[in-house]
Amino acid sequence: MTPIRQGRNPRSALASAMCVLAVTGTVLTGCAEEDPNEGTNGVGRLPVEKIQAKTRTAAESAGAVRVHGSVVSGGRTYALDMRLKTDGGEGSVTTEGTTFRLLRLGEQLFVKADAEFWSHGAGQGEGGTGDAAAAAKLGGKFVKVPQGDPSYKKFSGFTDKGVLLDGLLTLHGKLATDGHDEQAGIRTIRISGDKGSGGTLEVSLEGKPYPLRLERAGGAGTLTFSAWGQDFSLREPEKNETVDYGRQLPSS
């Protein structure tokens, strides 16, 4: 749903509109505005630093989460749709019109993409047929990434719940609360860094104070977080679905 960008909860606004004036004879009486934190988990009444701390604690302690949206890094935009938990993760990443799938089970990391993805390697202009043959072999398969390969750290970072959230859930500059909102029908408190220029985070006011939506500083992407604590299974690919390249992968 489209977030409501306003300084208070829309339920409060509705309540105010419905009871602005009550007419009894000739007497007009006003209604008190609804407390946007009434009936919530209470974090909206805390100082902003404590809200952020509780949010990070809730995110770190959750067994699983889905991360969906876009991240801008190193001049590239990455569209993510990942499900993560403490011992692995899976999902898809799209950048520059190319989509690849990632799967990690413990230390085992697999990448699945088409032949075109692999043929964009830096060595293609040097080798020709060798690179084309490698791309054909790897395309459409789960390719096991050697831990010593330079791409292992980059790819695994997308599948590591702790690493990914630690890098994303950081607001820059002076923190402040920035009104109430709703995300997918869940009431939230909005916190921001440097009046939004340092990023904006929507925190759930219902249940645990999980982060639900992040606008990164400097227009570096927008992400939503959902399915907190909802476990999911990870399956190692069958042997006929995989390729163990056995050495450094083609650059991509």
Side-chain angles (χ1 to χ4, degrees):
M1 65 176 289
T2 302
I4 303 169
R5 294 294 169 201
Q6 56 188 43
R8 62 180 182 176
N9 192 299
R11 300 180 189 182
S12 300
L14 178 60
S16 298
M18 292 177 64
C19 67
V20 171
L21 295 175
V23 181
T24 304
T26 58
V27 180
L28 300 180
T29 59
C31 297
E33 183 172 326
E34 179 186 350
D35 180 359
N37 294 303
E38 187 68 30
T40 70
N41 56 22
V43 297
R45 295 188 174 102
L46 298 176
V48 66
E49 291 80 8
K50 288 190 175 182
I51 297 175
Q52 185 184 48
K54 283 184 172 292
T55 297
R56 295 188 74 94
T57 298
E60 290 168 1
S61 62
V65 64
R66 181 187 178 195
V67 182
H68 182 269
S70 63
V71 171
V72 180
S73 178
R76 283 190 176 189
T77 299
Y78 297 89
L80 310 180
D81 189 358
M82 301 294 302
R83 295 200 69 182
L84 311 171
K85 55 183 181 178
T86 53
D87 60 348
E90 66 174 348
S92 64
V93 179
T94 301
T95 182
E96 297 184 347
T98 300
T99 298
F100 55 95
R101 184 179 173 190
L102 294 172
L103 170 64
R104 184 176 64 83
L105 303 93
E107 299 300 320
Q108 293 188 90
L109 175 66
F110 299 89
V111 180
K112 183 178 182 180
D114 59 20
E116 184 179 0
F117 172 86
W118 297 110
S119 68
H120 286 317
Q124 183 172 354
E126 305 166 5
T129 58
D131 296 313
K137 179 181 178 182
L138 302 179
K141 297 286 188 178
F142 283 96
V143 180
K144 189 173 182 179
V145 183
Q147 291 189 38
D149 189 274
S151 62
Y152 183 91
K153 184 176 181 180
K154 178 173 69 174
F155 285 146
S156 64
F158 287 115
T159 66
D160 190 314
K161 175 178 173 286
V163 170
L164 191 62
L165 293 183
D166 185 59
L168 293 176
L169 297 180
T170 300
L171 299 177
H172 302 279
K174 185 177 180 181
L175 297 179
T177 55
D178 189 23
H180 292 73
D181 208 331
E182 284 192 4
Q183 291 296 322
I186 299 174
R187 287 181 288 175
T188 64
I189 179 77
R190 188 164 54 247
I191 62 176
S192 63
D194 279 347
K195 299 181 180 180
S197 63
T200 301
L201 186 66
E202 301 280 351
V203 178
S204 176
L205 288 175
E206 301 177 22
K208 292 186 178 182
Y210 292 126
L212 298 184
R213 186 176 187 273
L214 170 71
E215 292 183 16
R216 302 185 72 209
T222 300
L223 293 161
T224 59
F225 306 91
S226 60
W228 285 105
Q230 296 181 22
D231 195 16
F232 59 96
S233 61
L234 292 170
R235 180 186 67 84
E236 185 173 348
E238 300 292 338
K239 287 187 177 181
N240 62 357
E241 299 177 294
T242 65
V243 173
D244 191 343
Y245 201 66
R247 58 186 177 87
Q248 183 173 315
L249 297 178
S251 301
S252 183

